[in-house]
């Protein structure tokens, strides 16, 4: 956790960057002193909102207070309470502290006059885990090679950010994201960024968050371009979210109210959310697809902040003035199949159950089987999971955007990850190290393997160039998507522009509405 240095004010009101020196900037709250890494000025752990603890627990974010003197900005702020997946709860405990809502900035040219494009990253993690300080999200290479200012930040996840708590505002994690974007608007010029050229980009739940922000009236005007990578397509109705919150509170013998939960230790509340997720199948008759997939938290549709789903909002023209880049990987589900120990083990019964649970409409399962008569149980299982959770929600964003007169560019990552003998394919999360250029660090590095091959470096350079060109000019370098040709960028060892390749899935899902998931009954 960072600390304030209240000794002597800095002598440099403008950025100070002598050769080998430490950069300093002045923002609205005070002065910051960062570090210089490989030619990039880096500022970590900068508060964009007050710690949401004590009387501010479960409240909407409030702007951070200022400080005297020069604040050291060299260490990531502590992450918010986490679910236990992949040991993230332990990481959060090791970085103890209450200043959960902090941002980090990488700039190749800090200073009010640089006017560089800004890219604001929203991490994924199923709305349950995630923190900006993970090594795979280091923005140095993207900022340096692309001449952009990169911003990452923490937002509340799990029950703290997305639990439906009576007496508290909903979608607090999304409100944190809006607060971070407001902070960028007010302060990014000091870091060399142009507040009128802000691109928000995110993957998985971060991609779903980007979609949600496009639908939120409060977020209008805070960003000008948007990148949704493998957008998680789950959005909850108020009834479903309230029922899941009640189950989480019941794990603690409490009610899902502000009065009951405000004093509960955040780690205990996160553990209760984990417990409900682990046994969600027992509520399958009430929670439907959310239970089958063990997804206890997602943005809630129906309040003033998020009145309709992103697909409906884009269809209604909400994103018409925001250029959109959206896409997914070919084998989204493969990562989860591996984590579940099912690679090569999926039975016909499991495939049939997946088709019944996730295929759209009354005849969706039949249509999958008829369109793919030679597919193995594992192929059917992975395809319907990939389509429901990531691929078709992402494609539908592009369709809704273009139908309303907006512009969207679509891609699919088809390059198979070389790690583990190629078992992962082009799986969920593979795009993250490629976009950031961090091929040998963090959890996604397992997908690429020890010592990134030259083709990984080449593909990463191409994707970084496309993402930063989109941030700078709104054009990633391939034609916009349209309902006729449906041209998309395929990222492989030899990238190509071609018609969207998942035609079978597109046709099966083309009439699906992607409504908020309901509470299904008794």
């Amino acid at each position: 956790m960072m600390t304030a240095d209240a000794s002597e004010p800095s002598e440099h009101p403008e950025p100070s960057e002598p050769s080998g020196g430490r950069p300093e900037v002045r923002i609205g709250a005070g002065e910051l002193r960062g570090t210089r890494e490989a030619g990039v000025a880096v500022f970590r752990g900068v508060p964009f909102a007050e710690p949401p603890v004590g009387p501010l627990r479960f409240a909407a974010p409030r702007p951070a207070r200022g400080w005297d003197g020069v604040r050291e900005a060299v260490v990531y702020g502590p992450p918010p309470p986490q679910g236990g997946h992949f040991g993230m709860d332990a990481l959060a405990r090791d970085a103890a502290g209450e200043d959960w809502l902090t941002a980090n900035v990488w700039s190749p040219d800090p200073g009010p006059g640089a006017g560089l494009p800004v890219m604001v990253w929203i991490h994924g993690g199923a709305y349950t885990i995630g923190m900006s300080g993970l090594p795979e999200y280091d923005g140095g290479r993207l900022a340096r090679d692309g001449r952009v200012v990169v911003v990452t930040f923490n937002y509340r996840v799990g029950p703290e950010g997305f639990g439906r708590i009576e007496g508290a505002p909903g979608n607090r994690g999304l409100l944190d994201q809006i607060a971070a974007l407001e902070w960028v608007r007010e302060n990014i010029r000091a870091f060399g960024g142009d507040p009128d050229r802000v691109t928000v980009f995110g993957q998985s739940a971060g991609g779903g968050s980007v979609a949600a922000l496009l639908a939120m009236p409060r977020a209008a005007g805070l960003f000008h371009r948007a990148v949704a990578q493998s957008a998680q397509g789950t959005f909850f109705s108020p009834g479903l979210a309230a029922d899941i919150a009640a189950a989480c509170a019941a794990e603690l013998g409490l009610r899902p109210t502000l009065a009951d939960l405000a004093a509960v230790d955040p780690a205990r509340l996160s553990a209760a959310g984990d417990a409900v997720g682990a046994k969600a199948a027992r509520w399958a008759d009430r929670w439907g697809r959310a239970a089958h997939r063990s997804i206890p938290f997602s943005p809630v549709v129906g309040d003033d902040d998020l009145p309709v789903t992103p697909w409906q909002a884009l269809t209604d023209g909400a994103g018409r003035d925001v250029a959109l880049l959206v896409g997914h990987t070919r084998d989204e589900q493969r990562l989860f199949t591996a984590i579940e120990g099912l690679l090569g083990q999926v039975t016909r019964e499991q495939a049939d159950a997946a088709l019944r649970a996730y295929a759209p409409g009354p005849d969706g399962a039949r249509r999958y089987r008829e369109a793919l008569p030679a597919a193995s149980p594992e192929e059917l299982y992975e395809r319907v999971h990939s389509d429901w959770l990531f691929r078709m929600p992402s494609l539908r964003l592009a369709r809704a955007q273009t139908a309303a007169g907006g512009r969207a560019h679509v891609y699919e990552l088809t390059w198979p990850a070389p790690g583990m003998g190629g078992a992962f394919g082009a799986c969920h999360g593979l795009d993250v190290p490629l976009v950031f250029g961090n091929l040998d660090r963090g959890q996604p590095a397992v997908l690429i393997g020890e010592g990134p091959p030259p083709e990984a470096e080449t593909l990463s350079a191409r994707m970084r160039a496309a993402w930063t060109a989109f941030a700078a000019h709104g054009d990633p370098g391939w034609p916009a998507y349209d309902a006729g040709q449906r041209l998309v960028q395929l990222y492989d060892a030899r990238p190509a522009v071609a018609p969207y390749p998942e035609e079978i899935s597109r046709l099966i899902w083309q009439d699906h509405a992607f409504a908020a998931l309901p509470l299904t009954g008794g």
Side-chain angles (χ1 to χ4, degrees):
M1 183 175 179
M2 62 188 176
T3 58
D5 178 359
S7 54
E8 292 294 330
S10 169
E11 297 177 358
H12 305 284
E14 298 298 323
S16 173
E17 299 191 64
S19 177
R22 293 179 57 192
E24 297 180 1
V25 300
R26 176 181 287 278
I27 62 173
E31 290 189 71
L32 296 166
R33 180 184 294 127
T35 61
R36 178 165 288 281
E37 300 171 8
V40 175
V42 187
F43 301 84
R44 295 184 172 93
V46 183
F48 65 84
E50 284 294 288
V53 298
L56 299 183
R57 181 91 180 273
F58 304 121
R62 298 187 185 179
R65 288 172 291 182
W67 56 83
D68 296 326
V70 180
R71 186 177 185 118
E72 293 291 324
V74 298
V75 178
Y76 290 112
Q82 301 278 306
H85 308 286
F86 310 111
M88 298 290 274
D89 54 344
L91 285 177
R93 287 195 300 270
D94 291 344
E98 298 179 337
D99 214 350
W100 302 338
L101 302 182
T102 58
N104 319 291
V105 183
W106 289 261
S107 177
D109 188 6
L116 298 175
V118 182
M119 300 183 68
V120 182
W121 171 253
I122 305 178
H123 67 72
Y127 304 106
T128 303
I129 59 173
M131 58 189 75
S132 64
L134 295 177
E136 52 262 41
Y137 303 146
D138 184 289
R141 193 174 187 188
L142 188 61
R144 182 180 65 252
D145 295 352
R147 292 290 297 170
V148 296
V149 177
V150 176
V151 179
T152 68
F153 63 90
N154 290 333
Y155 60 95
R156 283 172 283 182
V157 294
E160 299 289 333
F162 293 94
R164 187 77 169 180
I165 297 172
E166 184 180 335
N171 292 320
R172 296 173 296 280
L174 297 179
L175 297 182
D176 292 344
Q177 295 170 16
I178 290 175
L181 289 167
E182 290 172 339
W183 180 88
V184 167
R185 179 187 61 194
E186 300 301 322
N187 295 286
I188 205 64
R189 197 182 300 277
F191 299 94
D194 182 350
D196 294 321
R197 282 200 295 169
V198 174
T199 298
V200 62
F201 70 128
Q203 182 265 351
S204 195
S209 295
V210 169
L213 291 170
L214 286 165
M216 298 180 75
R218 289 183 56 178
L222 292 176
F223 56 94
H224 313 89
R225 297 173 185 122
V227 183
Q229 303 171 208
S230 301
Q232 182 172 328
T234 54
F235 286 76
F236 287 177
S237 65
L240 175 61
D243 210 58
I244 294 175
C248 293
E251 290 287 320
L252 304 172
L254 300 170
R255 300 167 301 162
T257 65
L258 182 61
D260 273 23
L261 298 179
V264 173
D265 180 84
R268 286 189 65 215
L269 188 57
S270 291
D274 285 349
V276 168
K279 56 190 177 185
R282 70 170 59 177
W283 288 286
D285 61 333
R286 295 178 62 80
W287 300 349
R289 290 168 166 173
H292 289 295
R293 188 72 192 212
S294 297
I295 299 174
F297 303 106
S298 285
V300 181
V301 172
D303 293 343
D304 290 342
D305 286 320
L306 185 58
V308 298
T309 66
W311 305 279
Q312 184 62 57
L314 290 183
T315 298
D316 295 341
R320 190 179 293 118
D321 297 328
V322 178
L324 177 63
L325 172 59
V326 61
H328 55 74
T329 71
R330 183 187 59 202
D331 308 308
E332 294 279 3
Q333 172 63 24
R334 188 73 52 79
L335 175 68
F336 305 102
T337 305
I339 290 171
E340 294 162 0
L342 290 177
L343 279 180
Q345 306 295 322
V346 176
T347 66
R348 180 177 176 83
E349 291 73 23
Q350 288 170 317
D352 288 345
L355 288 170
R356 286 194 303 270
Y358 300 109
D363 64 343
R366 176 187 60 78
R367 295 182 68 187
Y368 268 104
R369 292 192 188 95
E370 290 182 354
L372 300 161
S376 68
E378 186 163 294
E379 289 170 332
L380 289 170
Y381 177 88
E382 291 200 338
R383 182 180 283 263
V384 72
H385 273 284
S386 296
D387 286 345
W388 173 70
L389 191 53
F390 301 115
R391 300 200 309 179
M392 295 304 104
S394 298
L395 181 65
R396 189 56 175 265
L397 289 174
R399 285 182 54 199
Q401 173 78 334
T402 56
R407 181 162 51 90
H409 297 264
V410 178
Y411 72 91
E412 180 174 87
L413 176 59
T414 57
W415 179 71
M420 299 291 289
F424 290 111
C427 69
H428 188 70
L430 180 59
D431 52 326
V432 173
L434 294 171
V435 166
F436 276 90
N438 300 324
L439 303 179
D440 59 354
R441 67 182 80 172
Q443 293 178 350
V446 175
L447 305 176
I448 294 176
E450 189 173 345
E455 67 180 29
E457 290 284 2
T458 300
L459 183 57
S460 175
R462 284 178 171 144
M463 293 184 74
R464 295 198 312 275
W467 264 238
T468 54
F470 180 75
H473 310 296
D475 183 356
W478 67 86
Y481 186 86
D482 64 62
Q485 293 183 300
R486 294 189 290 277
L487 295 179
V488 305
Q489 174 71 57
L490 303 181
Y491 278 113
D492 211 318
R494 294 183 177 179
V497 175
Y500 182 67
E502 312 303 339
E503 184 68 2
I504 289 173
S505 297
R506 185 189 71 82
L507 291 173
I508 291 173
W509 288 84
Q510 65 180 345
D511 296 325
H512 185 68
F514 290 100
L517 297 177
L519 183 65
T520 58

